[in-house]
Amino acid sequence: MVTTEVQAPPVEMLIGGEFVVSKTTQWRDVVNPATQEVLARVPMATKDAVDAAVAAAKEAFVTWRKTSIGQRARVFFRYQQLIREQQKSLAETLSAEQGKTLADAEGDVFRGLEVVEHASGIANLQLGELAHSCLSSRRVTRTLEWIISQRSRPEALRCDNGPEFTSRHFLAWCEERKIRLIHIQPGRPMQNGRVESFNGRFRDECLNANWFPTLADAKQKVERWRAEYNLERPHSSLGYLTPIEFADRAPSPPR
């Protein structure tokens, strides 16, 4: 009887946005601890491969360094989405390679997802400025400055008559920025219907559905809801696209 040995597939390297097979002569086996099955072969990278990877990274940095924070965040938004979509298969791979239970492997994937969320800067750039015990007019203008840096200056702002929107600081900021300020009539919230609709959804789905023992816990839970609302949930008003998909397809407004 003749038997043929099937060699485990090589792990390809990602260099310059393309997967390439290493030309090395030295490989290390990836072994399933439970069955001793060789799952794959990992290359011990050659000097030429390392040099090619460094050169590709240098070339990419030329454009990446000029990429706005908002565009960088969208890259990480997409990365988060892919991790969520492939969470099961990633956990199965970890379980096979490391001999962990599937539950432990799923926990590792979730912790990795948290690292990606932190690296994207979402909590600091979008949530950290907002989820506080109070919202002053200066905090509002700092947030609006960041939004303008990503989405350009609006011609007008429609808002209610809260103290953060009627303060001297906020009025002077709008004047300096040449932004027309439109205050709705007191007691007429539906004059700003889109905001009221969002506030109601946020209140019903997040604020009323959770208990927040600490400010840190509130930030975490609000961020999870925000990520689902912007990254995963299709919106009928956007042609059943997610907000991030809609933003990616929209032309960049003039600065």
Side-chain angles (χ1 to χ4, degrees):
M1 182 174 64
V2 178
T3 59
T4 30
E5 183 179 351
V6 179
Q7 200 170 38
V11 175
E12 297 179 332
M13 300 179 296
L14 181 62
I15 300 178
E18 297 181 353
F19 286 102
V20 296
V21 178
S22 176
K23 297 179 180 179
T24 185
T25 58
Q26 300 180 25
W27 299 81
R28 176 165 292 181
D29 291 340
V30 179
V31 180
N32 185 326
T35 64
Q36 297 303 304
E37 175 190 0
V38 178
L39 304 173
R41 296 181 302 138
V42 177
M44 307 299 287
T46 64
K47 182 179 183 301
D48 288 344
V50 173
D51 289 344
V54 171
K58 284 185 176 180
E59 183 180 355
F61 183 68
V62 173
T63 54
W64 180 254
R65 67 184 298 185
K66 299 177 182 178
T67 303
S68 70
I69 293 175
Q71 290 174 308
R72 294 185 189 191
R74 284 194 287 274
V75 172
F76 278 95
F77 291 159
R78 177 58 178 159
Y79 189 24
Q80 290 179 50
Q81 183 179 358
L82 290 172
I83 293 175
R84 294 177 194 275
E85 291 173 354
Q86 302 298 326
Q87 190 164 353
K88 183 177 180 181
S89 61
L90 288 171
E92 290 173 348
T93 299
L94 282 175
S95 178
E97 292 182 356
Q98 301 180 12
K100 296 184 175 184
T101 65
L102 191 57
D104 285 343
E106 288 174 346
D108 284 350
V109 174
F110 181 77
R111 284 187 286 275
L113 180 60
E114 289 182 324
V115 172
V116 175
E117 291 176 344
H118 177 74
S120 69
I122 296 172
N124 293 328
L125 297 175
Q126 295 183 343
L127 175 66
E129 285 292 309
L130 302 178
H132 283 266
S133 56
C134 63
L135 189 64
S136 67
S137 62
R138 293 186 182 275
R139 194 176 299 280
V140 170
T141 55
R142 283 201 300 270
T143 302
L144 289 173
E145 287 283 4
W146 181 84
I147 294 173
I148 289 172
S149 72
Q150 308 305 311
R151 294 290 178 187
S152 81
R153 178 181 59 85
E155 293 183 0
L157 288 175
R158 181 184 295 272
C159 55
D160 60 32
N161 294 272
E164 67 273 25
F165 299 126
T166 56
S167 70
R168 291 181 181 178
H169 169 76
F170 186 73
L171 296 176
W173 180 86
C174 289
E175 181 69 23
E176 180 183 352
R177 278 290 193 170
K178 294 181 171 51
I179 297 174
R180 186 162 57 95
L181 190 56
I182 306 172
H183 286 109
I184 64 173
Q185 292 177 284
R188 299 288 184 87
M190 287 314 297
Q191 289 183 356
N192 208 0
R194 290 179 183 271
V195 171
E196 286 303 310
S197 175
F198 173 82
N199 287 347
R201 189 179 299 275
F202 177 55
R203 183 169 52 249
D204 293 341
E205 296 181 4
C206 184
L207 299 183
N208 292 346
N210 289 284
W211 172 256
F212 306 108
T214 65
L215 182 58
D217 179 72
K219 288 185 177 184
Q220 184 180 45
K221 289 174 179 175
V222 170
E223 167 59 15
R224 287 179 182 174
W225 183 88
R226 188 209 60 78
E228 188 275 334
Y229 185 87
N230 283 333
L231 308 180
E232 301 174 10
R233 185 189 304 187
H235 293 243
S236 59
S237 61
L238 303 179
Y240 294 96
L241 297 174
T242 63
I244 188 63
E245 290 172 334
F246 182 81
D248 284 340
R249 298 185 185 188
S252 300
R255 296 288 176 182

